[in-house]
Amino acid sequence: MRGRRMLAILLILGLASMLTGCWSRKELNELALVMALGIDLDPEGYAVSAQVMNPSEAGNQKGASSGSLPVVTYKSVGKTVPDALQRMLSMTPRMLYLAHIRVIVFGEELARSGVSDALDFLSRDNQTRTDFYLLVAKNSTASKILEIVTPFEHIPANSLYSSILVSHKKWAATGKVTLQQFITELERGGSNPIMSGVQLRGNLQNGESPKNVQNISPQTLIQHAGIAVFKKDKLVGWLGEPLSKSVNYALNEVDTTVGNVPSPEGGTAGFIVTQADTRLDIKINEEGKPEFIVKLNIEADLTTVEGPLDLNNPANLKIIEDNLQNRFNIKMSSDIREIQEKYNSDIFGFGEALHRKYPRLWKDYREHWEDTFKTVKVDVHSKVAIRRIGSIIQPLKKEIEEK
């Protein structure tokens, strides 16, 4: 019995000796945590900006103890992105660590020339994750975006990351695109990717100074700039607020947003969307060609009623619902048609939906889907239900007029 126990112990020790352990571990004080990357075109290849966290100041809420900022932005130029990052080591006191990147910003010039080569390194490198967000700097370079000192968040990369989440969820006029999502859309047949856009607003020269956030009104702000439309890996145009919202509705990416419609008795009725579900249906017409139907199911609450509207009359609520449905049907159909004609980029994934539902028919369109997409028929059918009208029934204007 004792011999068996000794044999078991020796076997366990032998197996344990073959375990690798933490052979590649790195101490935190040996690493420079990169929170954001900016990539721009350069005559020599790429100009890369790395926003690196300064750990000694990042947790300081009352200001820098040594006059330093919570982040430092390093810049370098290289033939490729990893080449530029390697050259950056001549300036940084620690090894760059990319696993904590929150956002990657592309300059508009680079985005228009194509981002696939720059993305190749990011998707290939085993150090980076794929859950960070991709942005395009509208009318600017990525380096300028990463130089701005932002309010609320001490680390600008965290400010960009948080603002993407908030604006996408509450405003619905921006994109929320990760590296994995972009590459998936890029590799599919019958769809094209999008990115969220950012731009600078205000006095750009003062945005790099800590004084930018020491005023009640910061002199420079980073503002979201709608959705960037891509055709394959190249930026082809920008969508403003109305078009961006229509795209997010079609992609079933709307959590909540606000709007207004004419009131039945004059004035305006404001609403907030509390739930939006979108389904895409495809039918084959008599000529054997595909037609697409975007079906919206929306629930909304009234937020304001300007004018003498009688909310005790159920017919008036029905009129508001009908006005909302007509607005969604007409506006979204018009916006989708504008994107078809102006950019000819299937960012809605209609081709991919056709591929899934009618794989045999898709074979006839796969090679020339872009030509078909530009003229394919798309209808929007919406159904709107107003669930709540608020804590008061009648508009204040109506109550004042009745006194």
Side-chain angles (χ1 to χ4, degrees):
M1 180 67 69
R2 183 175 298 177
R4 291 183 178 179
R5 288 182 179 176
M6 289 298 296
L7 182 61
I9 292 173
L10 291 173
L11 181 61
I12 292 172
L13 292 175
L15 292 173
S17 66
M18 292 187 293
L19 297 177
T20 58
C22 300
W23 64 272
S24 62
R25 68 179 177 86
K26 293 182 177 65
E27 297 294 338
L28 184 60
N29 58 6
E30 299 174 356
L31 301 175
L33 301 183
V34 179
M35 306 301 294
L37 276 183
I39 307 177
D40 293 299
L41 272 185
D42 186 88
E44 298 182 18
Y46 296 96
V48 178
S49 305
Q51 188 177 101
V52 179
M53 184 174 71
N54 183 354
S56 63
E57 303 295 345
N60 189 0
Q61 301 294 322
K62 295 183 179 180
S65 59
S66 61
S68 301
L69 290 173
V71 292
V72 179
T73 298
Y74 295 99
K75 301 177 185 178
S76 185
V77 175
K79 185 66 176 178
T80 63
V81 173
D83 181 27
L85 290 172
Q86 286 295 108
R87 293 174 183 275
M88 204 175 289
L89 296 178
S90 64
M91 296 174 280
T92 61
R94 302 179 183 181
M95 291 291 295
L96 297 176
Y97 189 59
L98 306 180
H100 291 277
I101 291 177
R102 309 305 299 271
V103 293
I104 290 185
V105 186
F106 297 98
E108 180 166 344
E109 185 182 3
L110 171 62
R112 290 192 179 276
S113 67
V115 298
S116 58
D117 288 338
L119 290 176
D120 183 84
F121 161 72
L122 298 171
S123 57
R124 192 181 301 274
D125 185 67
N126 61 0
Q127 199 181 89
T128 59
R129 299 195 301 246
T130 58
D131 58 350
F132 50 80
Y133 293 130
L134 303 179
L135 301 168
V136 181
K138 185 177 182 180
N139 300 324
S140 180
T141 61
S143 63
K144 290 182 179 179
I145 298 293
L146 298 187
E147 290 170 354
I148 302 302
V149 181
T150 57
F152 291 104
E153 294 284 355
H154 289 272
I155 299 175
N158 288 341
S159 178
L160 273 172
Y161 183 88
S162 300
S163 65
I164 292 170
L165 295 177
V166 172
S167 63
H168 183 77
K169 184 173 182 179
K170 298 296 184 181
W171 186 35
T174 58
K176 190 181 70 171
V177 181
T178 64
L179 173 64
Q180 188 60 53
Q181 290 172 327
F182 188 89
I183 292 176
T184 299
E185 295 298 328
L186 194 63
E187 293 177 343
R188 279 178 178 171
S191 66
N192 278 309
I194 59 174
M195 279 191 200
S196 189
V198 289
Q199 61 186 2
L200 298 178
R201 191 185 73 181
N203 188 338
L204 308 186
Q205 294 180 347
N206 297 329
E208 304 173 17
S209 169
K211 294 181 180 180
N212 185 51
V213 295
Q214 294 175 356
N215 300 318
I216 294 178
S217 298
Q219 297 185 13
T220 309
L221 289 171
I222 300 176
Q223 181 182 35
H224 286 281
I227 287 177
V229 179
F230 280 75
K231 197 169 185 179
K232 300 300 182 183
D233 69 328
K234 296 182 179 180
L235 172 68
V236 294
W238 293 94
L239 304 181
E241 179 180 345
L243 289 170
S244 296
K245 283 189 176 183
S246 293
V247 169
N248 280 326
Y249 272 116
L251 295 176
N252 198 25
E253 287 286 337
V254 173
D255 291 318
T256 181
T257 188
V258 297
N260 56 78
V261 290
S263 178
E265 298 181 10
T268 302
F271 65 91
I272 180 171
V273 172
T274 57
Q275 183 175 335
D277 295 314
T278 306
R279 290 190 302 109
L280 180 62
D281 196 10
I282 307 172
K283 69 176 184 180
I284 307 302
N285 61 21
E286 297 177 353
E287 300 176 355
K289 297 180 179 180
E291 296 180 357
F292 297 87
I293 303 101
V294 178
K295 296 182 178 180
L296 294 177
N297 190 5
I298 294 173
E299 294 184 5
D301 297 341
L302 287 182
T303 57
T304 181
V305 178
E306 299 177 0
L309 179 65
D310 185 4
L311 291 177
N312 282 320
N313 186 355
N316 286 331
L317 284 178
K318 183 64 170 61
I319 293 174
I320 294 177
E321 289 178 344
D322 291 341
N323 288 345
L324 274 171
Q325 289 178 178
N326 290 334
R327 171 182 173 171
F328 278 112
N329 293 342
I330 296 172
K331 185 68 173 64
M332 281 194 60
S333 296
S334 174
D335 290 345
I336 292 173
R337 187 162 53 252
E338 180 177 341
I339 294 172
Q340 285 178 282
E341 296 174 352
K342 186 174 182 180
Y343 299 114
N344 191 21
S345 176
D346 186 4
I347 58 177
F348 307 100
F350 292 154
E352 174 62 20
L354 179 63
H355 184 194
R356 290 196 306 266
K357 189 169 183 178
Y358 298 103
R360 292 184 179 179
L361 181 61
W362 170 247
K363 293 180 181 179
D364 298 332
Y365 290 97
R366 180 170 53 191
E367 300 299 329
H368 55 88
W369 174 244
E370 291 184 356
D371 297 330
T372 304
F373 170 75
K374 192 170 186 177
T375 58
V376 73
K377 183 179 180 182
V378 181
D379 291 324
V380 178
H381 297 164
S382 63
K383 182 179 180 181
V384 179
I386 295 178
R387 298 304 186 191
R388 301 175 183 84
I389 63 172
S391 57
I392 62 174
I393 298 178
Q394 299 295 4
L396 291 177
K397 187 170 185 179
K398 181 177 179 62
E399 293 185 356
I400 292 172
E401 291 177 351
E402 289 178 350
K403 292 182 178 180

PDB file of all heavy atoms in Angstrom, residues 192-208:
ATOM      1  N   ASN A 192     -21.712  45.515 -46.748  1.00  0.00           N
ATOM      2  CA  ASN A 192     -20.560  46.386 -46.561  1.00  0.00           C
ATOM      3  C   ASN A 192     -20.568  46.926 -45.144  1.00  0.00           C
ATOM      4  O   ASN A 192     -21.636  47.092 -44.540  1.00  0.00           O
ATOM      5  CB  ASN A 192     -20.592  47.551 -47.560  1.00  0.00           C
ATOM      6  CG  ASN A 192     -20.046  47.153 -48.925  1.00  0.00           C
ATOM      7  OD1 ASN A 192     -18.962  46.596 -49.035  1.00  0.00           O
ATOM      8  ND2 ASN A 192     -20.806  47.436 -49.977  1.00  0.00           N
ATOM      9  N   PRO A 193     -19.393  47.224 -44.579  1.00  0.00           N
ATOM     10  CA  PRO A 193     -19.332  47.672 -43.178  1.00  0.00           C
ATOM     11  C   PRO A 193     -19.549  49.162 -43.020  1.00  0.00           C
ATOM     12  O   PRO A 193     -19.551  49.930 -43.998  1.00  0.00           O
ATOM     13  CB  PRO A 193     -17.912  47.276 -42.761  1.00  0.00           C
ATOM     14  CG  PRO A 193     -17.122  47.367 -44.031  1.00  0.00           C
ATOM     15  CD  PRO A 193     -18.067  46.980 -45.145  1.00  0.00           C
ATOM     16  N   ILE A 194     -19.717  49.566 -41.782  1.00  0.00           N
ATOM     17  CA  ILE A 194     -19.801  50.972 -41.396  1.00  0.00           C
ATOM     18  C   ILE A 194     -18.874  51.205 -40.206  1.00  0.00           C
ATOM     19  O   ILE A 194     -18.392  50.268 -39.586  1.00  0.00           O
ATOM     20  CB  ILE A 194     -21.243  51.400 -41.017  1.00  0.00           C
ATOM     21  CG1 ILE A 194     -21.743  50.540 -39.844  1.00  0.00           C
ATOM     22  CG2 ILE A 194     -22.175  51.306 -42.209  1.00  0.00           C
ATOM     23  CD1 ILE A 194     -23.099  50.976 -39.296  1.00  0.00           C
ATOM     24  N   MET A 195     -18.613  52.456 -39.910  1.00  0.00           N
ATOM     25  CA  MET A 195     -17.917  52.853 -38.692  1.00  0.00           C
ATOM     26  C   MET A 195     -18.581  54.099 -38.152  1.00  0.00           C
ATOM     27  O   MET A 195     -19.307  54.803 -38.870  1.00  0.00           O
ATOM     28  CB  MET A 195     -16.436  53.160 -38.952  1.00  0.00           C
ATOM     29  CG  MET A 195     -15.519  51.979 -39.034  1.00  0.00           C
ATOM     30  SD  MET A 195     -13.800  52.523 -39.028  1.00  0.00           S
ATOM     31  CE  MET A 195     -12.986  51.085 -39.717  1.00  0.00           C
ATOM     32  N   SER A 196     -18.344  54.375 -36.886  1.00  0.00           N
ATOM     33  CA  SER A 196     -18.807  55.621 -36.287  1.00  0.00           C
ATOM     34  C   SER A 196     -17.785  56.714 -36.562  1.00  0.00           C
ATOM     35  O   SER A 196     -16.580  56.445 -36.623  1.00  0.00           O
ATOM     36  CB  SER A 196     -19.005  55.443 -34.781  1.00  0.00           C
ATOM     37  OG  SER A 196     -19.649  56.564 -34.214  1.00  0.00           O
ATOM     38  N   GLY A 197     -18.267  57.937 -36.723  1.00  0.00           N
ATOM     39  CA  GLY A 197     -17.382  59.062 -37.004  1.00  0.00           C
ATOM     40  C   GLY A 197     -17.259  59.993 -35.809  1.00  0.00           C
ATOM     41  O   GLY A 197     -18.191  60.128 -35.010  1.00  0.00           O
ATOM     42  N   VAL A 198     -16.104  60.619 -35.681  1.00  0.00           N
ATOM     43  CA  VAL A 198     -15.890  61.648 -34.660  1.00  0.00           C
ATOM     44  C   VAL A 198     -15.236  62.855 -35.320  1.00  0.00           C
ATOM     45  O   VAL A 198     -14.524  62.730 -36.319  1.00  0.00           O
ATOM     46  CB  VAL A 198     -15.003  61.148 -33.503  1.00  0.00           C
ATOM     47  CG1 VAL A 198     -15.741  60.151 -32.643  1.00  0.00           C
ATOM     48  CG2 VAL A 198     -13.696  60.559 -34.013  1.00  0.00           C
ATOM     49  N   GLN A 199     -15.500  64.015 -34.751  1.00  0.00           N
ATOM     50  CA  GLN A 199     -14.896  65.235 -35.270  1.00  0.00           C
ATOM     51  C   GLN A 199     -14.617  66.196 -34.120  1.00  0.00           C
ATOM     52  O   GLN A 199     -15.166  66.044 -33.018  1.00  0.00           O
ATOM     53  CB  GLN A 199     -15.817  65.904 -36.294  1.00  0.00           C
ATOM     54  CG  GLN A 199     -17.161  66.327 -35.731  1.00  0.00           C
ATOM     55  CD  GLN A 199     -18.091  66.855 -36.802  1.00  0.00           C
ATOM     56  OE1 GLN A 199     -17.759  66.881 -37.976  1.00  0.00           O
ATOM     57  NE2 GLN A 199     -19.286  67.279 -36.406  1.00  0.00           N
ATOM     58  N   LEU A 200     -13.759  67.160 -34.376  1.00  0.00           N
ATOM     59  CA  LEU A 200     -13.403  68.154 -33.367  1.00  0.00           C
ATOM     60  C   LEU A 200     -14.278  69.385 -33.520  1.00  0.00           C
ATOM     61  O   LEU A 200     -14.575  69.817 -34.633  1.00  0.00           O
ATOM     62  CB  LEU A 200     -11.929  68.536 -33.496  1.00  0.00           C
ATOM     63  CG  LEU A 200     -10.923  67.395 -33.285  1.00  0.00           C
ATOM     64  CD1 LEU A 200      -9.507  67.899 -33.495  1.00  0.00           C
ATOM     65  CD2 LEU A 200     -11.076  66.796 -31.903  1.00  0.00           C
ATOM     66  N   ARG A 201     -14.667  69.951 -32.381  1.00  0.00           N
ATOM     67  CA  ARG A 201     -15.491  71.156 -32.387  1.00  0.00           C
ATOM     68  C   ARG A 201     -14.885  72.170 -31.433  1.00  0.00           C
ATOM     69  O   ARG A 201     -14.521  71.828 -30.310  1.00  0.00           O
ATOM     70  CB  ARG A 201     -16.921  70.835 -31.941  1.00  0.00           C
ATOM     71  CG  ARG A 201     -17.906  71.962 -32.180  1.00  0.00           C
ATOM     72  CD  ARG A 201     -19.266  71.628 -31.607  1.00  0.00           C
ATOM     73  NE  ARG A 201     -19.255  71.710 -30.147  1.00  0.00           N
ATOM     74  CZ  ARG A 201     -20.318  71.445 -29.391  1.00  0.00           C
ATOM     75  NH1 ARG A 201     -21.445  71.041 -29.941  1.00  0.00           N
ATOM     76  NH2 ARG A 201     -20.241  71.552 -28.076  1.00  0.00           N
ATOM     77  N   GLY A 202     -14.784  73.418 -31.901  1.00  0.00           N
ATOM     78  CA  GLY A 202     -14.271  74.484 -31.048  1.00  0.00           C
ATOM     79  C   GLY A 202     -12.885  74.915 -31.457  1.00  0.00           C
ATOM     80  O   GLY A 202     -12.436  74.723 -32.588  1.00  0.00           O
ATOM     81  N   ASN A 203     -12.188  75.521 -30.507  1.00  0.00           N
ATOM     82  CA  ASN A 203     -10.836  76.027 -30.726  1.00  0.00           C
ATOM     83  C   ASN A 203      -9.851  74.860 -30.614  1.00  0.00           C
ATOM     84  O   ASN A 203      -9.527  74.403 -29.525  1.00  0.00           O
ATOM     85  CB  ASN A 203     -10.511  77.105 -29.681  1.00  0.00           C
ATOM     86  CG  ASN A 203      -9.200  77.800 -29.976  1.00  0.00           C
ATOM     87  OD1 ASN A 203      -8.335  77.267 -30.668  1.00  0.00           O
ATOM     88  ND2 ASN A 203      -9.048  79.014 -29.467  1.00  0.00           N
ATOM     89  N   LEU A 204      -9.380  74.381 -31.742  1.00  0.00           N
ATOM     90  CA  LEU A 204      -8.571  73.171 -31.760  1.00  0.00           C
ATOM     91  C   LEU A 204      -7.213  73.362 -31.113  1.00  0.00           C
ATOM     92  O   LEU A 204      -6.630  72.419 -30.589  1.00  0.00           O
ATOM     93  CB  LEU A 204      -8.400  72.698 -33.210  1.00  0.00           C
ATOM     94  CG  LEU A 204      -9.685  72.544 -34.027  1.00  0.00           C
ATOM     95  CD1 LEU A 204      -9.375  71.945 -35.381  1.00  0.00           C
ATOM     96  CD2 LEU A 204     -10.701  71.704 -33.280  1.00  0.00           C
ATOM     97  N   GLN A 205      -6.681  74.577 -31.116  1.00  0.00           N
ATOM     98  CA  GLN A 205      -5.336  74.804 -30.595  1.00  0.00           C
ATOM     99  C   GLN A 205      -5.278  74.651 -29.077  1.00  0.00           C
ATOM    100  O   GLN A 205      -4.242  74.295 -28.520  1.00  0.00           O
ATOM    101  CB  GLN A 205      -4.851  76.195 -30.997  1.00  0.00           C
ATOM    102  CG  GLN A 205      -4.653  76.365 -32.500  1.00  0.00           C
ATOM    103  CD  GLN A 205      -4.166  77.741 -32.861  1.00  0.00           C
ATOM    104  OE1 GLN A 205      -4.192  78.650 -32.033  1.00  0.00           O
ATOM    105  NE2 GLN A 205      -3.722  77.908 -34.097  1.00  0.00           N
ATOM    106  N   ASN A 206      -6.385  74.927 -28.401  1.00  0.00           N
ATOM    107  CA  ASN A 206      -6.388  74.869 -26.945  1.00  0.00           C
ATOM    108  C   ASN A 206      -6.814  73.509 -26.396  1.00  0.00           C
ATOM    109  O   ASN A 206      -6.826  73.302 -25.188  1.00  0.00           O
ATOM    110  CB  ASN A 206      -7.318  75.947 -26.372  1.00  0.00           C
ATOM    111  CG  ASN A 206      -6.841  77.349 -26.712  1.00  0.00           C
ATOM    112  OD1 ASN A 206      -5.648  77.594 -26.838  1.00  0.00           O
ATOM    113  ND2 ASN A 206      -7.780  78.280 -26.873  1.00  0.00           N
ATOM    114  N   GLY A 207      -7.193  72.595 -27.282  1.00  0.00           N
ATOM    115  CA  GLY A 207      -7.699  71.314 -26.818  1.00  0.00           C
ATOM    116  C   GLY A 207      -6.654  70.406 -26.218  1.00  0.00           C
ATOM    117  O   GLY A 207      -6.983  69.480 -25.475  1.00  0.00           O
ATOM    118  N   GLU A 208      -5.371  70.667 -26.512  1.00  0.00           N
ATOM    119  CA  GLU A 208      -4.306  69.802 -26.006  1.00  0.00           C
ATOM    120  C   GLU A 208      -3.863  70.172 -24.601  1.00  0.00           C
ATOM    121  O   GLU A 208      -3.105  69.432 -23.983  1.00  0.00           O
ATOM    122  CB  GLU A 208      -3.106  69.862 -26.956  1.00  0.00           C
ATOM    123  CG  GLU A 208      -3.438  69.512 -28.398  1.00  0.00           C
ATOM    124  CD  GLU A 208      -2.262  69.737 -29.322  1.00  0.00           C
ATOM    125  OE1 GLU A 208      -1.129  69.839 -28.808  1.00  0.00           O
ATOM    126  OE2 GLU A 208      -2.459  69.810 -30.538  1.00  0.00           O
TER     127      GLU A 208
END
